[in-house]
Amino acid sequence: MAGSILGAAVKRTEDPRFIRGRGSYVANRAIEGCLWMVPVRSALAHGIINQIDTSMAADMEGVIGVFTAADFELDTIPPSAPGVDKRFSRPLLAEGTVRFAGEILAIVVAETERQAVDAASMVFPDIDALPAVTDPREALRDEVVVHSEIGTNLAKSHEDESDPELFDSAPVTVTVTVHSQRLAAVPLETNNALAIPDPAGGPNGAIEVLLGSQNVFGHRNRISRLVGVDRYALEVKSPDMGGGFGAKFATYPEQALTVALAQRLGAPVRWHEDRRGNLTGMYHGRAAYLTVTLAADETGNITGLRAEMLQDAGAYPTLGAHMPYWTRWMATGVYHIPHVEFHWKALATNTTPIHAYRGAGRPEATQMIERAMDVLAAKLGMDPAELRRRNYLQPDHFPYSTPTGVEYDSGAYETSLDLALQAAGYDELRREQRHRRESGDSKLIGIGLSTYVEVTAVEGPVEWTALEIHTDGTATARVGTSGHGQGHETAFAQVVSALTKIDVERIRVLQADTSVIPRGDGTGGSRSLQLAGSGLYRASEEVVAKARRLVAEHLEAALDDVQLADDARIGVVGVPDSGMTWGEVAALAAESVTDLDDADEVLGAEFTFDQGKSTFPFGTHLSVVEVDIETGAVRLLRHIAVDDCGTVLNPLLVAGQVHGGIAQGAGQALYEAVRYDDDGNSLSGNLTSYLLPTADSLPSVERRISETPTPHNPLGAKGIGEAATIGSTPAIHNAVIDALAHLGVEHIDMPLTPATVWQAING
């Protein structure tokens, strides 16, 4: 890529509008005569609905209507995991039974938001409370059943064949249980929707739908089915969006209800969450217990892994019942482990449903194996870095098929470890650790390692793209993915610019709008650059080839003599005056078009890129923490990150993803947890009870570069969006326990709050 814009640190072209406050968000869209929808949520986690009294609310000023399930004939949201009983489906409005605190009982529509909020407080549900179950370990007993008509909480399960002899006869075994606690996504912009009926009005008119979405086509298709509207009558768009983190891949009842109301009332209707509604209503992530046993010989060579996973799927099992598949896929991590047994169960509980959250099943695998590696190192009396090195897959193993049935594309795991150890000054850190322990210092340091591998572009590595050159010399790229903070507009423009030589500033990127993009699979699973970027790469190649043919015919020159120069002119090599600008070539193409369906003569190209296989980014994170043994307080002193996402297109964008990922990884390790009481009441309904890391609680990230290209796409790129979250959490977790290991502390569950750490020290 020498001399190419690919690999250059191009500043984000989308940032000026955000810095100037000119972003276009759903909440910014001013619509005359727009009505407001506010949901009435259940305060109980489990109960039988006797009656919902809406009479007082209906008579309040500005109220257009108060609606319950009886007022609609709408479909239900089915489980998204294959093989799950369809009776686990979620109604848009609770019918007969309420199953989690925060479930929608009714919706109020009024002329203003204030009127709708006031009226919602005057809706009075009569619900007979039932016992609630909030822990998957308890749900497994089926003593409290979330869906009585099914009779069990077990939504899905899987068991590998067992070989007890291998573990019984192993010279060394260790077992540890890791709780990957329930997390909230907490995007800066909460969930929302705005439905605008076609000016023609009526139930058969088109409806423009604006919402925060990571996949507008998924939202369009699901809302179409739920509401009973032809999918092509819905124009679904996601303008600028303040974060998604996986949670906005899902379609929420409120979004479908907004459309149903706009259709029924023939007027625009909007909805957005307040923060409490977001913390209780937006799907949560993680929420799994993993018990892992490693078998090894006396020298530390691992011979087998056995794991049991209990996945909390929430009240209505959706993607949460599928994520253990991905955890199983990645169970062996970066290590050569010849034998694997992985058993898992996904269970319904009286809690907010579980869905994707930055990593979706893969962080749980890394947390499990990396915690177990430290436990095994302690039992063997080995340095954690040396144990890892001994068991790494080596570069000549690739492509490597794991015992769980996935094929790793490429990797250099030992290289990432060496870079991290060198950057940290590992030996000096260990000396400092010994000094503090021996001197009786109350503030001890811990060093934690995590070498991870993850899967990106998982399940369906295909994406649609298109490129068109205009007569003014500008270009428009269209993609089926959805950018919401990652820098897609910049990255995709760089790809097009690299092949066409058109300046990045003159390339427009269109995305997340079903009215101008025919299809796409959205953004999730760190798929966008490797798929949409590669699609634009191929589309750009086609456009350049078309341009060369047009110019060759126009100049009556041999095709091989016509080339694209660095000044973005296309002409005969060695004849500068023959060069034509892109605008001139586009005009030439337009003149030659006699049939608008004659795609070969249009200066543009569509390309659906099918990667065929997933890619597997990897890296090593090393954390240094300081633990005050008198108070239990943990301070993150340093964090070194080596994240290998294949060929780096733009180091600034990669750095941004890494920094954000580490913040969320540190959040799980040290601060964040969604908690419920025994009755299923949320104890984490605001940002004073659900704690987030802040700028002053995180150190500057120390990054080192490693690039191991994938052979699966022309860019050599792998995903980076989730990598740092996956790698950072176990490193910080291991560091805190490492600081206290000499005191007999063997394990502490996350989050590692001062109270939790103090109790472990004094337990």
Side-chain angles (χ1 to χ4, degrees), residues 689-761:
S689 54
Y690 187 87
L691 302 181
L692 295 170
T694 57
D696 65 349
S697 60
L698 298 171
S700 295
V701 176
E702 303 170 48
R703 296 180 56 247
R704 294 296 183 271
I705 302 299
S706 172
E707 294 186 60
T708 308
T710 179
H712 296 334
N713 65 63
L715 296 172
K718 307 181 185 184
I720 188 59
E722 296 153 299
T725 302
I726 294 169
S728 60
T729 302
I732 298 169
H733 192 186
N734 282 338
V736 174
I737 299 169
D738 177 69
L740 307 173
H742 67 297
L743 301 177
V745 175
E746 297 179 350
H747 183 74
I748 313 172
D749 278 334
M750 300 180 290
L752 302 163
T753 63
T756 302
V757 173
W758 188 90
Q759 289 169 356
I761 294 169

Side-chain angles (χ1 to χ4, degrees), residues 163-482:
D163 182 4
E165 174 63 23
L166 185 150
F167 294 90
D168 292 343
S169 62
V172 180
T173 61
V174 294
T175 300
V176 63
T177 296
V178 178
H179 181 208
S180 187
Q181 76 273 29
R182 177 181 288 256
L183 301 178
V186 202
L188 188 61
E189 180 188 22
T190 58
N191 256 331
N192 51 41
L194 169 59
I196 308 166
D198 187 272
N204 298 317
I207 301 176
E208 182 184 16
V209 184
L210 280 73
L211 43 72
S213 172
Q214 293 178 235
N215 182 4
V216 291
F217 296 95
H219 270 87
R220 181 195 66 183
N221 298 345
R222 288 188 290 266
I223 290 173
S224 165
R225 181 184 56 78
L226 290 168
V227 177
V229 177
D230 184 282
R231 68 173 61 181
Y232 298 109
L234 297 176
E235 294 183 357
V236 181
K237 307 171 184 180
S238 184
D240 293 327
M241 188 167 81
F245 310 123
K248 289 183 183 175
F249 226 97
T251 299
Y252 291 86
E254 298 93 330
Q255 293 168 332
L257 289 166
T258 303
V259 175
L261 287 168
Q263 182 188 39
R264 171 181 289 204
L265 301 174
V269 179
R270 72 191 321 152
W271 158 77
H272 68 220
E273 289 174 326
D274 60 15
R275 185 55 69 184
R276 180 171 182 81
N278 175 258
L279 288 167
T280 56
M282 177 175 271
Y283 290 164
H284 294 158
R286 308 286 192 265
Y289 289 91
L290 300 104
T291 298
V292 58
T293 298
L294 290 181
D297 62 23
E298 297 92 338
T299 65
N301 293 309
I302 301 171
T303 56
L305 178 152
R306 176 192 291 151
E308 295 184 0
M309 180 177 184
L310 288 182
Q311 174 68 60
D312 186 346
Y316 298 100
T318 175
L319 195 62
H322 187 70
M323 290 191 302
Y325 268 118
W326 299 328
T327 307
R328 179 183 176 274
W329 279 4
M330 307 310 299
T332 58
V334 295
Y335 307 110
H336 182 262
I337 303 178
H339 178 80
V340 174
E341 300 172 13
F342 199 101
H343 318 300
W344 62 264
K345 294 179 172 69
L347 297 135
T349 61
N350 292 115
T351 60
T352 301
I354 294 294
H355 202 270
Y357 170 69
R358 204 165 190 170
R362 291 104 76 201
E364 294 86 331
T366 303
Q367 291 161 8
M368 174 190 77
I369 186 66
E370 289 304 292
R371 185 81 275 282
M373 290 299 286
D374 266 28
V375 173
L376 179 59
K379 184 162 186 176
L380 292 168
M382 290 182 65
D383 184 274
E386 178 55 34
L387 178 64
R388 286 170 169 80
R389 191 188 303 277
R390 181 162 299 191
N391 287 280
Y392 282 148
L393 294 168
Q394 296 301 313
D396 60 0
H397 286 137
F398 298 97
Y400 173 75
S401 295
T402 73
T404 57
V406 295
E407 184 182 280
Y408 294 176
D409 53 349
S410 60
Y413 305 145
E414 195 165 1
T415 298
S416 73
L417 175 70
D418 289 339
L419 287 169
L421 297 180
Q422 181 182 12
Y426 186 69
D427 292 340
E428 179 59 32
L429 285 173
R430 287 297 181 194
R431 285 192 288 271
E432 172 66 12
Q433 182 183 57
R434 288 193 295 270
H435 171 73
R436 291 203 190 191
R437 288 175 176 177
E438 292 166 359
S439 66
D441 198 324
S442 64
K443 294 183 178 179
L444 304 175
I445 67 167
I447 305 106
L449 281 169
S450 166
T451 301
Y452 72 92
V453 61
E454 68 139 335
V455 55
T456 62
V458 62
E459 295 190 356
V462 180
E463 193 52 78
W464 179 91
T465 60
L467 176 66
E468 183 179 359
I469 310 297
H470 308 292
T471 55
D472 62 356
T474 64
T476 297
R478 293 185 289 156
V479 293
T481 54
S482 170

Side-chain angles (χ1 to χ4, degrees), residues 43-244:
L44 291 174
H46 200 194
I48 302 298
I49 302 170
N50 296 318
Q51 180 184 355
I52 301 174
D53 185 352
T54 63
S55 58
M56 292 183 67
D59 290 337
M60 294 179 69
E61 181 183 359
V63 172
I64 304 299
V66 184
F67 304 92
T68 64
D71 297 308
F72 293 97
E73 291 185 8
L74 302 172
D75 209 337
T76 56
I77 300 175
S80 55
V84 175
D85 193 317
K86 298 301 182 185
R87 290 176 293 174
F88 279 114
S89 295
R90 178 180 181 178
L92 301 188
L93 291 161
E95 298 182 69
T97 304
V98 62
R99 294 186 172 90
F100 72 97
E103 187 167 8
I104 307 169
L105 301 171
I107 49 176
V108 176
V109 181
E111 295 173 355
T112 69
E113 183 180 19
R114 185 70 264 163
Q115 289 169 338
V117 170
D118 289 345
S121 69
M122 299 305 291
V123 175
F124 300 104
D126 177 11
I127 302 174
D128 290 337
L130 295 171
V133 59
T134 61
D135 188 313
R137 297 170 298 181
E138 296 297 322
L140 190 60
R141 301 176 184 176
D142 283 338
E143 293 174 357
V144 175
V145 178
V146 178
H147 294 258
S148 59
E149 67 277 20
I150 300 176
T152 179
N153 293 319
L154 183 62
K156 197 169 184 180
S157 64
H158 169 87
E159 288 197 10
D160 287 336
E161 291 186 11
S162 294
D163 182 4
E165 174 63 23
L166 185 150
F167 294 90
D168 292 343
S169 62
V172 180
T173 61
V174 294
T175 300
V176 63
T177 296
V178 178
H179 181 208
S180 187
Q181 76 273 29
R182 177 181 288 256
L183 301 178
V186 202
L188 188 61
E189 180 188 22
T190 58
N191 256 331
N192 51 41
L194 169 59
I196 308 166
D198 187 272
N204 298 317
I207 301 176
E208 182 184 16
V209 184
L210 280 73
L211 43 72
S213 172
Q214 293 178 235
N215 182 4
V216 291
F217 296 95
H219 270 87
R220 181 195 66 183
N221 298 345
R222 288 188 290 266
I223 290 173
S224 165
R225 181 184 56 78
L226 290 168
V227 177
V229 177
D230 184 282
R231 68 173 61 181
Y232 298 109
L234 297 176
E235 294 183 357
V236 181
K237 307 171 184 180
S238 184
D240 293 327
M241 188 167 81

